[in-house]
Amino acid sequence: MNNYDFSTLNDKEFEQIAKDLLNAKYKLGLQAFKVGKDKGIDLRFSTPKNNNSLVAQVKHYVGSGFPQLKHTLVAKELPKISKLKPDRYIVVTSLPLSATQKDEIKTELTPFILSSNDIFGQEDLNGILTEFKEIEKSYFKLWFSSITVLTAVINNAIEGRTKYMLERIKEKIPFYVVTKKLDDANKILQKEKLLLITGQPGIGKTTLAEIILFDRAKNGFKIYKVENITEAEDVISLNPEEKQLFYFDDFLGANYFEIINAQKTETQLTSFVERVKNTPNKYLILTTRTVILNHAIEKYEKISHSRLANQQFEIKLTDYNKFEKALIFYNHLYFQKVREELLDSVIAGKFYNTVIQHKNYTPRIIEFITEKSRIEKLTSSTYLQFILNNLNNPKEIWRYSFNNQIDYLDKCLLVTLFTFENDIFESTLTAAFESRLLYEKTEHNQIINTDQFNESVKILLNGFILSNLYNSSPPVREFTFINPSLTDFLIGYVNDSYPERKSIISSIIYVEQLSRFNPDKKIIPLEKELQILIRDKIAKSKLQILESTKKNFTENKRIAIILETLCRYCNLTNIDTLLLSHFEKLSFKESWSSILQKIEYVLLNIGDAPQTFKFIKDNFIEIIEKMMYSISEPRNASQIPTLFDKYEHDYEDYLENTEDGTQNVLSMIESVLQSSEDDMRSQHEDDIKDIDVVSELYDEIQTLEQDLVADLFPNTSIDYDFNVSMDYRYWEKKVEENIHKSETESSKFDDYDEDYYRESLYESRSEDNAIDDLFTKAD
């Protein structure tokens, strides 16, 4: 039998399911009575002789016990029942009831309760649900009040990060409101194997993705929350029967510049998408902000040509109707247990309409204005003003809490966490915070407690930050912000405060902490005085590289990172001597494939550094040929003539009068074309079903060849076979195999035809009346 405790349903939802179950089981014809006007009636059935022939009272007591239920029925409901004089009285509660407890209630409410069988507790409702699966299915959130379901979901988390995520989703389930978007998203995911959810900040992208993850875990999917594509590639199963769902949240957010700048990462991402697409029972969900995705599509060819460009599923505020907005608000008030004084102020004068009709309404703001720790000290009048302030100035939702609810050193820890763009391990955050504390002690005379890190964490935990403990050996803890909007606030805070920027730069100990100041992002300024601080830290070897702890990290990689850091973050200062000393240490014996992007950036952005410029100029041919041997991307190849010109070398002379010049460039073009063909094969060979499409793809490679030859041999006619041509026999065989595979393996894909959205959400009532009923308090 089911074991639901109904804790994920609010009081109005519980009353609705009670009505559905009693009507289905006993054909009672019960109708809902308007909430708050019941005079002891939640549900009733009328006859010509007695309007109150059958009366049902529904009590949803989550976290309460039998004594409270009994007291309410006797002290509050019995006087009402005596006036109503029903022929039959039924009690329904979400509490588990024993036979003895039912008999006690019957005795107290005699003669109106005819039999103990007219008292329905948790077990009775579960029994009826077992008989009526269609009712069980229609209440989406009900599933997740079952210990059996929750255990199955958590067990389908593959590692600590995912398990922690699913535990957090479990806590969010009661707040969730099913909209048509859930069914639409599920259908797209099932059909396309890929779901890319886009939308503006705070609109509900992550929530929708997480609910789908939780639902799929309930249905036997193994869930993987990944932070980069390499993690996903490492765990994808070759077994077509194994159901796997990969989740990459904000994949173009914190990882954006890594994705668009790292060599081959675009290919890695789009290739994984194709691999998922063509492997039974493998699915991928990604989320990102619309504006970031549009920028990536516009700027980066492989992303614009991939499935990502035309398969986005956007959530807009207009996707929520008024009742859904109201229900989101009500769920947060109900499940956050907002105290009665504040709740009354929202209900009085129908202030809730001001909230749900506000132009800046988003689910994220609703979450913020009902969070217990932020409102516990507010009065009824200040609470309404708090709500209006956050709706009128949505970018400022964190300012009050930041300025008034935490101490200075707690703010320092938040800012330190902010300097790391991704989730960060405790040991790293502790070291960075200790450096900030030392700066605060020295420069601002702050008094530091010996256990300041742990004290600040206790204050910030669950209100500002989250922690996750991985069950590794030894256990490892990771920290992140509780909400992306806090990151947005801190960007504005740091951007507006030069003293804060100076404190950050003065106390950082890792190169990775500089990424927020990346000039390419044009988000936070970096003045010359601060650039001098960075330069001096590098000169004194006081900046560590987190990446250096990874396997296969080379000395060349370390040098390249330092060179790029100097050119990117110290371009207003004199870095010549420092640049030269590091450039001279580069090894030409190792491959430059892993550092190509960084070296190219340095060469193009060296600035006023005459000594370094002369060194590069004197060693240019050796440097440029080392780069050419490593190039496999068109955009890198196209930069070669530019670099020749920048460092005062004659590109045409190199082609015509050096022994290997022309051959080196031709080999580079061949490498780029071969890489493009490999990428195309990787993306398409397992799903292409039309030989004409293959021809079009090879036409694109031919066009690329023509463009590269035109760019790299502008004054020379080239007759060269680059060994990239369409093998018709091979591709015809592939097309035939793919068509056959599509026909024979379609049955292996997991069927998923759930529909959770209920069209008749507020039955025969108007939307406005349904909203008023929702916010009307019961007697």
Side-chain angles (χ1 to χ4, degrees):
M1 191 173 78
N2 297 316
N3 61 350
Y4 301 123
D5 66 8
F6 304 94
S7 60
T8 54
L9 303 182
N10 66 40
D11 55 342
K12 312 304 193 308
E13 292 166 330
F14 181 69
E15 181 180 311
Q16 180 69 32
I17 197 173
K19 177 176 75 73
D20 291 348
L21 290 172
L22 292 179
N23 283 340
K25 176 70 173 176
Y26 301 106
K27 306 293 188 293
L28 296 177
L30 291 169
Q31 295 180 333
F33 214 77
K34 188 170 182 178
V35 180
K37 310 293 184 183
D38 60 11
K39 299 179 181 179
I41 306 171
D42 286 328
L43 308 170
R44 78 172 182 179
F45 174 74
S46 299
T47 66
K49 293 183 178 180
N50 187 351
N51 282 336
N52 301 318
S53 177
L54 192 160
V55 171
Q57 186 67 217
V58 182
K59 297 297 183 184
H60 189 24
Y61 282 178
V62 177
S64 301
F66 176 73
Q68 182 179 347
L69 172 65
K70 180 179 175 182
H71 171 77
T72 300
L73 290 173
V74 175
K76 295 183 178 181
E77 300 301 334
L78 184 56
K80 299 176 189 176
I81 303 170
S82 299
K83 292 180 181 180
L84 291 170
K85 295 182 173 57
D87 299 325
R88 180 182 178 188
Y89 189 77
I90 294 174
V91 172
V92 183
T93 180
S94 54
L95 289 176
L97 296 177
S98 67
T100 301
Q101 289 170 332
K102 287 185 179 183
D103 290 342
E104 285 185 42
I105 293 174
K106 178 182 178 301
T107 299
E108 295 288 352
L109 299 185
T110 298
F112 304 107
I113 293 185
L114 305 180
S115 163
S116 294
N117 292 332
D118 280 349
I119 301 170
F120 295 84
Q122 187 181 111
E123 299 87 347
D124 305 298
L125 297 178
N126 274 295
I128 302 174
L129 276 167
T130 302
E131 296 181 49
F132 298 95
K133 294 294 184 183
E134 69 278 5
I135 296 177
E136 182 181 41
K137 179 181 175 182
S138 67
Y139 287 86
F140 174 78
K141 295 194 299 181
L142 177 67
W143 289 96
F144 305 108
S145 69
S146 163
I147 298 299
T148 303
V149 170
L150 290 175
T151 301
V153 167
I154 301 304
N155 286 343
N156 279 322
I158 298 306
E159 39 69 51
R161 182 196 302 142
T162 303
K163 183 175 182 179
Y164 174 63
M165 177 194 68
L166 292 176
E167 291 276 9
R168 284 183 56 208
I169 298 173
K170 178 182 71 174
E171 297 171 2
K172 295 180 183 179
I173 289 290
F175 302 90
Y176 184 66
V177 172
V178 176
T179 71
K180 197 172 185 302
K181 281 290 183 179
L182 176 61
D183 290 339
D184 293 343
N186 259 325
K187 288 180 173 67
I188 290 174
L189 179 62
Q190 189 57 30
K191 178 182 177 183
E192 303 294 342
K193 314 291 294 304
L194 164 70
L195 179 65
L196 171 55
I197 305 174
T198 65
Q200 298 310 308
I203 203 68
K205 301 181 296 295
T206 299
T207 299
L208 176 60
E210 289 178 344
I211 292 298
I212 294 172
L213 290 176
F214 213 72
D215 188 35
R216 295 278 170 136
K218 178 196 75 177
N219 287 284
F221 276 81
K222 300 295 184 183
I223 307 298
Y224 301 80
K225 185 180 189 297
V226 297
E227 292 190 347
N228 55 65
I229 295 302
T230 300
E231 287 184 4
E233 287 181 328
D234 288 344
V235 294
I236 189 169
S237 172
L238 297 177
N239 180 2
E241 304 299 326
E242 183 172 343
K243 298 191 287 188
Q244 294 179 294
L245 176 55
F246 302 93
Y247 175 46
F248 197 172
D249 187 30
D250 196 21
F251 86 107
L252 285 177
N255 302 285
Y256 178 55
F257 282 88
E258 176 187 343
I259 284 177
I260 64 176
N261 289 323
Q263 190 177 24
K264 306 294 282 185
T265 309
E266 289 176 68
T267 301
Q268 187 183 27
L269 174 61
T270 54
S271 294
F272 184 76
V273 168
E274 297 302 326
R275 187 175 176 186
V276 166
K277 180 76 177 176
N278 294 295
T279 307
N281 288 314
K282 307 296 181 284
Y283 297 84
L284 174 64
I285 298 178
L286 308 102
T287 67
T288 189
R289 297 182 181 187
T290 302
V291 64
I292 296 178
L293 177 64
N294 290 342
H295 179 75
I297 289 172
E298 179 181 351
K299 192 169 183 181
Y300 298 99
E301 184 177 2
K302 286 194 177 73
I303 289 180
S304 67
H305 287 174
S306 73
R307 298 179 191 274
L308 297 175
N310 54 22
Q311 290 189 354
Q312 57 178 303
F313 178 80
E314 186 165 20
I315 300 177
K316 301 176 183 177
L317 188 58
T318 52
D319 293 328
Y320 298 102
N321 61 40
K322 281 170 57 179
F323 184 80
E324 288 164 354
K325 291 180 185 178
L327 190 51
I328 291 170
F329 187 25
Y330 182 80
N331 277 349
H332 279 78
L333 292 167
Y334 181 86
F335 288 107
Q336 288 283 19
K337 295 182 172 60
V338 171
R339 72 178 190 271
E340 193 165 357
E341 175 194 1
L342 303 187
L343 181 59
D344 288 344
S345 68
V346 170
I347 295 172
K350 299 184 180 181
F351 180 78
Y352 49 81
N353 281 326
T354 301
V355 175
I356 64 180
Q357 294 174 20
H358 199 285
K359 64 178 182 179
N360 292 329
Y361 175 106
T362 64
R364 178 175 294 168
I365 290 180
I366 297 303
E367 177 184 354
F368 188 88
I369 62 176
T370 55
E371 208 281 315
K372 188 174 295 185
S373 66
R374 293 182 222 294
I375 64 175
E376 58 186 356
K377 296 182 180 179
L378 299 180
T379 64
S380 58
S381 59
T382 57
Y383 183 48
L384 297 189
Q385 192 58 51
F386 171 76
I387 292 174
L388 286 174
N389 288 343
N390 285 292
L391 284 169
N392 292 332
N393 303 285
K395 293 183 179 179
E396 299 296 307
I397 62 175
W398 287 97
R399 188 170 298 280
Y400 177 84
S401 299
F402 185 81
N403 288 339
N404 299 287
Q405 295 181 336
I406 57 176
D407 293 334
Y408 178 73
L409 293 179
D410 303 329
K411 296 176 187 177
C412 290
L413 179 55
L414 276 183
V415 172
T416 303
L417 179 58
F418 167 76
T419 61
F420 298 97
E421 289 199 322
N422 294 306
D423 299 354
I424 198 69
F425 288 124
E426 183 176 33
S427 58
T428 303
L429 181 60
T430 301
F433 185 52
E434 286 176 352
S435 177
R436 177 66 187 258
L437 291 177
L438 180 60
Y439 174 81
E440 293 297 333
K441 180 180 179 180
T442 304
E443 299 297 324
H444 299 152
N445 297 315
Q446 288 288 325
I447 298 174
I448 311 299
N449 296 330
T450 55
D451 198 26
Q452 186 63 56
F453 177 81
N454 288 323
E455 290 181 10
S456 291
V457 165
K458 287 179 182 177
I459 296 296
L460 299 174
L461 204 59
N462 297 322
F464 291 84
I465 64 176
L466 297 171
S467 73
N468 177 30
L469 185 64
Y470 293 120
N471 294 322
S472 55
S473 183
V476 176
R477 189 180 298 276
E478 193 174 65
F479 288 93
T480 187
F481 286 120
I482 195 169
N483 196 296
S485 60
L486 180 52
T487 302
D488 295 337
F489 165 75
L490 289 171
I491 288 173
Y493 171 73
V494 174
N495 191 59
D496 293 342
S497 173
Y498 174 79
E500 186 57 61
R501 294 198 293 279
K502 183 177 181 181
S503 296
I504 291 173
I505 297 301
S506 298
S507 61
I508 61 169
I509 58 174
Y510 298 109
V511 167
E512 287 81 358
Q513 289 180 269
L514 289 169
S515 59
R516 296 285 187 191
F517 296 87
N518 190 330
D520 291 340
K521 299 179 183 180
K522 298 178 182 178
I523 295 176
I524 300 177
L526 193 64
E527 292 82 357
K528 182 176 180 179
E529 180 186 357
L530 304 185
Q531 294 192 14
I532 291 172
L533 293 175
I534 297 170
R535 181 199 64 188
D536 292 347
K537 281 178 179 285
I538 292 174
K540 297 174 183 177
S541 300
K542 289 188 174 181
L543 275 185
Q544 304 171 49
I545 301 172
L546 285 174
E547 190 182 348
S548 63
T549 60
K550 295 182 179 179
K551 192 183 298 184
N552 300 324
F553 187 84
T554 65
E555 177 63 13
N556 256 13
K557 186 71 174 288
R558 186 191 70 79
I559 294 169
I561 289 173
I562 295 300
L563 289 171
E564 182 190 28
T565 301
L566 286 167
C567 290
R568 191 180 294 277
Y569 299 105
C570 307
N571 61 310
L572 299 179
T573 71
N574 183 354
I575 55 174
D576 195 10
T577 302
L578 201 52
L579 265 181
L580 178 61
S581 66
H582 282 84
F583 227 117
E584 289 175 334
K585 296 175 185 176
L586 272 176
S587 170
F588 286 81
K589 296 180 180 179
E590 300 177 18
S591 169
W592 279 18
S593 295
S594 65
I595 64 172
L596 174 66
Q597 304 296 333
K598 298 183 184 304
I599 297 300
E600 181 186 274
Y601 181 89
V602 171
L603 294 181
L604 291 171
N605 297 277
I606 199 169
D608 184 18
Q611 295 179 79
T612 309
F613 182 90
K614 183 178 184 304
F615 174 82
I616 296 172
K617 180 180 177 180
D618 292 346
N619 297 277
F620 182 75
I621 298 302
E622 187 177 10
I623 292 171
I624 204 71
E625 288 184 347
K626 190 68 178 176
M627 290 177 65
M628 284 194 286
Y629 296 151
S630 303
I631 286 175
S632 61
E633 294 291 313
R635 63 173 178 265
N636 301 124
S638 298
Q639 291 288 355
I640 296 300
T642 302
L643 291 171
F644 267 86
D645 185 60
K646 181 177 178 68
Y647 290 96
E648 301 172 358
H649 279 254
D650 190 326
Y651 179 64
E652 290 293 334
D653 182 67
Y654 174 76
L655 292 177
E656 296 174 7
N657 299 320
T658 59
E659 182 177 352
D660 299 318
T662 295
Q663 186 56 50
N664 287 339
V665 175
L666 289 172
S667 296
M668 178 182 67
I669 295 175
E670 186 170 9
S671 177
V672 171
L673 295 176
Q674 188 61 58
S675 176
S676 297
E677 184 185 30
D678 291 344
D679 293 344
M680 183 270 287
R681 283 176 178 263
S682 174
Q683 291 185 43
H684 298 289
E685 67 177 355
D686 290 328
D687 74 329
I688 203 136
K689 303 180 184 71
D690 188 338
I691 197 69
D692 291 337
V693 175
V694 179
S695 296
E696 291 172 4
L697 293 170
Y698 272 93
D699 287 344
E700 291 181 10
I701 296 177
Q702 289 292 103
T703 300
L704 174 61
E705 176 186 325
Q706 294 167 9
D707 291 343
L708 287 172
V709 170
D711 289 343
L712 297 170
F713 292 95
N715 302 312
T716 307
S717 177
I718 295 297
D719 182 15
Y720 186 80
D721 181 6
F722 289 105
N723 295 316
V724 179
S725 59
M726 181 174 168
D727 183 341
Y728 278 91
R729 182 173 297 179
Y730 170 83
W731 283 105
E732 284 175 345
K733 183 179 178 182
K734 271 294 177 185
V735 166
E736 184 179 338
E737 289 175 356
N738 291 334
I739 292 173
H740 178 71
K741 180 177 67 175
S742 177
E743 293 172 347
T744 58
E745 289 195 346
S746 58
S747 61
K748 293 182 180 180
F749 286 79
D750 180 72
D751 290 329
Y752 202 89
D753 57 357
E754 301 280 6
D755 279 323
Y756 294 117
Y757 182 69
R758 302 174 71 189
E759 292 287 354
S760 56
L761 198 56
Y762 25 87
E763 299 177 324
S764 59
R765 298 168 291 170
S766 71
E767 189 172 37
D768 289 337
N769 286 340
I771 291 170
D772 289 342
D773 286 354
L774 184 65
F775 283 92
T776 302
K777 291 176 65 177
D779 289 345

